[in-house]
Amino acid sequence: FGVFVDLGCVEGLIHISRLSKLHIEDPTKFVKKGDLIQAVVYEIDRDKNRVSLSRKELEDSPWKGINKVYKPETTHKGIIKRITDFGAYVELSPGIDGLIRLSELSWTRRLKHPNEVVKLYQEIDVYIISVNEEKQAIALSYKRTLPNPWQGLKEKYPPNSEAQGKVLQLVPQGAVITVGDEVDGFMPRSR
């Protein structure tokens, strides 16, 4: 949960969340017993005889100058670090994560969850949509690293032609159908 530091007359604790601005999972991989370490006194609790320390304040933010490293409309490699109902967080570099929203995962499929396309710790190419250093946010797209199938669908499935599909979902208004395992379409109840 952190690192104990001998301050001479008292012992201080640097909680794992205050070791670095980067995410640290194991403090023993960050420092070793006997290392000299600089820290800032964060809090003193005289009643409990505790000194809380922090190293975060001594580091520059990994987001500083990020606009020069990750420019919009460029493609980079990243690793899926966290998956939520609304998208997937991708680590571009230590301390720098961006978000791929559900709508940016596939050109043609109506996804219920990101794990239909990506898996945890998978390395993927991502397209930078926007970067905001102040808010520490990067909007990413996975689908924009792939060819857009909509451009060729009119030729592949011309109007009034027949195609086989699989019903994915039934709703009061109609059905969502996957055609050719590549595109999801909506068939209204009236049809």
Side-chain angles (χ1 to χ4, degrees), residues 57-100:
E57 292 76 9
L58 303 175
E59 295 179 351
D60 283 336
S61 170
W63 287 86
K64 188 176 181 181
I66 202 71
N67 298 341
K68 295 174 186 141
V69 179
Y70 298 107
K71 296 178 181 174
E73 300 180 14
T74 61
T75 301
H76 298 269
K77 288 206 176 293
I79 297 173
I80 305 290
K81 286 294 187 166
R82 192 162 50 108
I83 295 177
T84 66
D85 290 340
F86 56 85
Y89 286 93
V90 177
E91 182 182 63
L92 298 169
S93 59
I96 305 296
D97 289 352
L99 174 62
I100 305 172

Side-chain angles (χ1 to χ4, degrees), residues 14-152:
I14 305 174
H15 189 269
I16 192 168
S17 64
R18 296 204 156 273
L19 275 172
S20 176
K21 289 184 178 176
L22 303 177
H23 179 71
I24 305 289
E25 290 185 25
D26 183 359
T28 62
K29 293 181 180 171
F30 188 73
V31 293
K32 303 283 182 241
K33 187 175 179 179
D35 286 352
L36 289 176
I37 189 169
Q38 268 191 314
V40 173
V41 175
Y42 177 69
E43 182 182 8
I44 297 175
D45 186 339
R46 295 183 193 277
D47 295 334
K48 296 181 181 177
N49 293 327
R50 290 187 184 164
V51 177
S52 297
L53 304 170
S54 176
R55 284 197 79 288
K56 277 183 163 183
E57 292 76 9
L58 303 175
E59 295 179 351
D60 283 336
S61 170
W63 287 86
K64 188 176 181 181
I66 202 71
N67 298 341
K68 295 174 186 141
V69 179
Y70 298 107
K71 296 178 181 174
E73 300 180 14
T74 61
T75 301
H76 298 269
K77 288 206 176 293
I79 297 173
I80 305 290
K81 286 294 187 166
R82 192 162 50 108
I83 295 177
T84 66
D85 290 340
F86 56 85
Y89 286 93
V90 177
E91 182 182 63
L92 298 169
S93 59
I96 305 296
D97 289 352
L99 174 62
I100 305 172
R101 295 205 173 273
L102 204 54
S103 61
E104 287 295 329
L105 285 168
S106 174
W107 286 107
T108 58
R109 295 180 55 207
R110 291 177 180 219
L111 303 173
K112 292 182 183 175
H113 199 273
N115 63 13
E116 295 175 48
V117 175
V118 295
K119 303 293 179 226
L120 207 54
Y121 306 115
Q122 176 184 356
E123 184 178 52
I124 61 170
D125 288 328
V126 290
Y127 176 88
I128 309 288
I129 299 171
S130 66
V131 179
N132 188 324
E133 182 178 336
E134 186 178 297
K135 292 183 179 178
Q136 296 186 349
I138 299 178
L140 303 172
S141 174
Y142 176 64
K143 73 180 184 183
R144 296 185 203 191
T145 65
L146 306 169
N148 183 347
W150 286 107
Q151 295 165 352

